[in-house]
């Protein structure tokens, strides 16, 4: 299907037409393709920006070979890069816009290795046929603005469904990562997955093991940052894809929680993820969302039966933190994200018990200090974890946490909780005790920090007296 639709709706940016004219003058075709066209038709891209356009990313397909594209862009673009040249893609900054231009592709796969064997196509039809889903297999020529949609991607956008241009079996055999991309698009766009596509995903889920951990991680992160990640997560579990790279998630099914509030921990977990999404302040917080997803993965390994016959999961937060750390490392997550997520999981139960009135100011200081720079996320995760259907209990827990946050703010006004330090630094400890740098200085510093957490700020005389008492007890000073 190729026609001149009311393409002005898409507000094709002048920069795209200018680039298209440059390619046309050199004897080559140029087309806006893929997600650029899809998102513009959906109205999902930014309408702001210097050109007042709806386009967020400018991806092009061309009849030029990579070396020809590079030669042309070197003449007219401010910068170029060849990171994707092996796959036919040349990047550039053109008139202040980041663009990527890829030679028509007709990829071939050996269906064993993890990467495609690149073969260039001769026509736009070749290129669109090899794309993952029909909604990504549309193009707009520049500067002519001819709309090409050979697989009815526009119709699938209207129906809000994911289909493949060819058979899903062929598509997924060529690149198994496309199965994970289906779940990602379901989460991002809130689309359904065609029945044939779902069946192929289920039958071929094991093929995802051919894909590198880094590529799987990248798609998973995009899924978790989607409008409704739960849609994608359910698809991963229902098709068996989660078993391949995140088996802890399907393992939560049929694990009854200790409060018998849900038929299984899996459903509770998905509710917690949705709760976390609703509490975000400024766009998707993938670290918070993944912490919510993994916060109870330690329950299956810690399941027990108490003397009263109730199911228990003692220390599941600590076991879960260790499990999350290993899984995220296996998926090649950045170290700082692994640390943040596992830390949140380890702390997510700390709040419970606060409402019994047992927390002293010291306990509140320790809560803040232990949370560190993850305190804001810990607030959200803890609130998200309250999924009880008992309205009275839910109201009480919310009120208790409100009270804790108010108490934290009150203490913050009185002292800098974000930077709890001993009232004497290392230099003062060495001078007062007459000792050189070494292990003993660190131990004295840690002792004074514990005192600071317990008692709050000390006067100079009180801090020195506490140091003398500790030093005498440790034998640093004579009796």
């Amino acid at each position: 299907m190729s026609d001149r639709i009311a393409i002005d709706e898409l507000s094709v940016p002048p920069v795209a037409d200018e680039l298209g004219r440059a390619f046309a003058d050199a004897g080559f075709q140029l087309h806006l393709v893929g997600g650029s066209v899809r998102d513009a038709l959906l109205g999902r891209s930014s309408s702001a920006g210097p050109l007042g356009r709806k386009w967020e990313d400018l991806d092009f397909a061309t009849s030029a070979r990579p070396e020809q594209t590079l030669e042309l862009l070197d003449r007219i673009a401010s910068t170029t890069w060849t990171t994707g040249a092996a796959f036919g893609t040349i990047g550039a900054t053109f008139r202040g816009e980041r663009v990527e231009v890829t030679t028509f592709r007709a990829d071939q796969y050996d269906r064993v290795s993890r990467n495609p064997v690149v073969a260039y196509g001769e026509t736009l039809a070749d290129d669109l046929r090899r794309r993952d889903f029909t909604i990504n297999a549309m193009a707009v020529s520049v500067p002519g603005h001819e709309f090409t949609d050979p697989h009815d991607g526009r119709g699938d956008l209207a129906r809000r469904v994911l289909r493949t241009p060819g058979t899903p079996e062929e598509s997924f055999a060529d690149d198994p990562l496309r199965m994970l991309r289906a779940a990602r698009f379901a989460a991002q766009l809130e689309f359904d997955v065609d029945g044939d596509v779902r069946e192929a995903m289920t039958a071929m889920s094991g093929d995802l093991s051919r894909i590198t951990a880094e590529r799987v991680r990248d798609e998973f992160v995009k899924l978790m940052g989607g409008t409704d990640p739960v849609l994608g997560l359910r698809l991963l579990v229902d098709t068996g894809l989660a078993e391949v790279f995140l088996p802890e998630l399907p393992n939560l099914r049929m694990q009854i929680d200790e409060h018998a509030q849900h038929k299984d921990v899996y459903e509770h977990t998905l509710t917690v993820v949705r709760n976390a999404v609703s509490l975000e302040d400024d766009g998707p917080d993938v670290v918070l969302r993944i912490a919510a997803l993994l916060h109870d993965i330690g329950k299956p390994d810690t399941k027990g039966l108490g003397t009263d016959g109730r199911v228990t999961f003692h220390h599941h937060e600590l076991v879960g933190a260790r499990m999350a750390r290993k899984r995220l490392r296996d998926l090649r997550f950045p170290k700082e994200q692994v640390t943040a997520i596992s830390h949140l999981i380890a702390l997510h139960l700390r709040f419970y018990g606060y409402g019994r009135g047992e927390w002293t100011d010291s306990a509140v200081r320790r809560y803040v200090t232990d949370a560190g720079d993850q305190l804001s996320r810990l607030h959200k995760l803890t609130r998200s974890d309250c999924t009880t259907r008992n309205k009275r209990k839910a109201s009480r827990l919310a009120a208790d946490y409100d009270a804790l946050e108010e108490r934290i703010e009150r203490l913050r006004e009185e002292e800098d909780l974000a930077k709890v330090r001993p009232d004497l630094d290392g230099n003062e400890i060495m001078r007062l005790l007459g000792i050189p740098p070494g292990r003993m200085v660190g131990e004295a510093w840690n002792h004074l920090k514990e005192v600071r957490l317990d008692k709050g700020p000390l006067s100079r005389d009180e801090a020195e007296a506490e140091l003398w008492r500790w030093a005498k007890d440790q034998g640093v000073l004579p009796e």
Side-chain angles (χ1 to χ4, degrees), residues 163-329:
R163 290 190 306 113
T164 54
T167 69
E169 289 80 7
E170 289 178 335
S171 180
F172 298 154
D174 283 345
D175 186 359
L177 189 67
R178 290 173 173 173
M179 295 184 285
L180 190 50
R181 285 170 62 84
R184 188 248 287 189
F185 284 126
Q188 284 184 335
L189 305 176
E190 297 182 284
F191 276 25
D192 291 327
V193 175
D194 180 76
D196 290 344
V197 173
R198 184 184 290 266
E199 289 180 10
M201 290 168 67
T202 303
M204 303 174 67
S205 59
D207 288 1
L208 187 65
S209 61
R210 288 165 39 195
I211 305 301
T212 62
E214 291 83 358
R215 294 181 73 205
V216 170
R217 174 204 62 210
D218 289 347
E219 287 297 328
F220 176 61
V221 167
K222 291 175 183 176
L223 183 160
M224 291 303 297
T227 304
D228 186 356
V230 171
L231 288 176
L233 292 168
R234 286 194 185 280
L235 189 59
L236 292 179
V237 172
D238 292 346
T239 58
L241 286 166
E243 291 280 0
V244 178
F245 75 97
L246 193 64
E248 294 83 0
L249 180 58
N251 200 32
L252 294 176
R253 289 178 297 184
M254 305 311 295
Q255 295 289 340
I256 307 302
D257 76 0
E258 65 268 44
H259 307 297
Q261 295 170 337
H262 308 273
K263 68 178 183 180
D264 55 47
V265 181
Y266 171 68
E267 290 297 333
H268 162 74
T269 293
L270 297 183
T271 301
V272 173
V273 172
R274 278 219 168 102
N275 289 347
V277 171
S278 71
L279 294 177
E280 291 170 341
D281 299 317
D282 185 25
D285 184 345
V286 173
V287 168
L288 172 64
R289 294 182 182 195
I290 295 178
L293 179 66
L294 303 182
H295 80 286
D296 272 349
I297 60 172
K299 282 188 171 180
D301 285 356
T302 58
K303 184 178 179 181
L305 203 62
T307 56
D308 59 357
R310 290 172 64 85
V311 175
T312 62
F313 299 103
H314 293 311
H315 305 302
H316 75 269
E317 73 280 12
L318 302 180
V319 173
R322 289 196 296 269
M323 293 171 63
R325 191 177 299 112
K326 182 181 185 306
R327 178 57 58 197
L328 295 173
R329 285 173 176 167

Side-chain angles (χ1 to χ4, degrees), residues 2-3 49 54 57 72 103 129 210 238 240 251 276 295 302 306 324-325 344 349 355 357 364 375 450 477:
S2 177
D3 63 335
K54 290 183 180 178
D57 298 309
L72 193 158
T103 300
R129 188 181 304 115
R210 288 165 39 195
D238 292 346
N251 200 32
H295 80 286
T302 58
R325 191 177 299 112
L344 287 166
L349 288 184
V364 176
L375 181 63
E450 291 297 312
L477 299 178

Side-chain angles (χ1 to χ4, degrees), residues 289-473:
R289 294 182 182 195
I290 295 178
L293 179 66
L294 303 182
H295 80 286
D296 272 349
I297 60 172
K299 282 188 171 180
D301 285 356
T302 58
K303 184 178 179 181
L305 203 62
T307 56
D308 59 357
R310 290 172 64 85
V311 175
T312 62
F313 299 103
H314 293 311
H315 305 302
H316 75 269
E317 73 280 12
L318 302 180
V319 173
R322 289 196 296 269
M323 293 171 63
R325 191 177 299 112
K326 182 181 185 306
R327 178 57 58 197
L328 295 173
R329 285 173 176 167
D330 288 347
L331 288 171
R332 306 294 192 269
F333 271 77
K335 182 179 179 180
E336 62 273 14
Q337 292 184 359
V338 174
T339 299
I341 293 167
S342 58
H343 192 52
L344 287 166
I345 294 170
L347 293 177
H348 83 273
L349 288 184
R350 181 77 68 87
F351 158 74
Y352 291 93
Y354 176 79
R356 295 195 296 266
E358 299 171 355
W359 281 34
T360 61
D361 283 353
S362 171
V364 176
R365 290 189 195 96
R366 290 179 185 279
Y367 187 77
V368 174
T369 300
D370 289 349
D373 60 1
Q374 297 304 313
L375 181 63
S376 177
R377 285 188 174 124
L378 183 58
H379 287 332
K380 295 182 178 71
L381 178 59
T382 301
R383 289 184 182 275
S384 299
D385 195 28
C386 176
T387 61
T388 176
R389 291 187 290 265
N390 184 317
K391 293 183 178 179
R392 180 178 297 179
K393 183 176 181 181
S395 296
R396 187 179 70 248
L397 286 170
D400 287 345
Y401 209 87
D402 287 342
L404 174 58
E405 289 200 59
E406 290 170 4
R407 192 169 173 188
I408 289 171
E409 290 307 311
R410 177 177 59 79
L411 286 174
R412 273 178 169 160
E413 292 175 1
E414 299 172 0
E415 49 188 286
D416 189 354
L417 293 182
K419 296 180 180 178
V420 173
R421 295 288 187 273
D423 296 281
L424 301 173
D425 64 21
N427 289 327
E428 292 172 310
I429 290 170
M430 289 187 288
R431 180 179 60 80
L432 290 168
L433 298 184
I435 59 176
R439 177 177 57 84
M440 192 62 67
V441 177
E443 291 180 1
W445 190 94
N446 287 331
H447 172 74
L448 290 177
K449 181 178 179 180
E450 291 297 312
V451 173
R452 170 72 170 75
L453 287 168
D454 283 338
K455 298 181 179 180
L458 303 179
S459 69
R460 176 75 185 199
D461 289 344
E462 289 172 331
E464 289 187 8
E466 186 60 48
L467 177 62
W468 295 123
R469 278 194 295 272
W470 175 86
K472 190 172 182 179
D473 291 342

